[in-house]
Amino acid sequence: MDVKDSNGNLLAEGDSVVLIKDLKVKGANATLKRGTVIKNIHLTDDEEEIEGRTDKVKGLVLKACFVKKA
């Protein structure tokens, strides 16, 4: 299973990614700003989603189309 970021680069377990747009987080009163770095991502069974965490939100699931490889 190949997971690709918004630019078409392959993502691997443990990579760092950067958000390409502001994202509102459901269930938490937080907005992740463009340019936020998410380190040490985990790949899921779905090739369009990745898991990661930030200082504000733990257990974050993101669509791969909103990130680019750092």
Side-chain angles (χ1 to χ4, degrees), residues 3 11 17-21 23-25 32 36-38 41-42 44 46-54 57 59-67:
V3 178
L11 296 175
V17 295
V18 178
L19 294 179
I20 61 170
K21 66 179 274 184
L23 297 174
K24 292 182 182 176
V25 180
L32 297 177
T36 301
V37 177
I38 300 172
I41 64 167
H42 298 286
T44 62
D46 187 356
E47 63 186 32
E48 294 182 4
E49 295 180 346
I50 58 172
E51 290 182 1
R53 65 166 128 171
T54 63
V57 183
L60 183 65
V61 177
L62 295 167
K63 291 217 173 236
C65 63
F66 296 128
V67 299

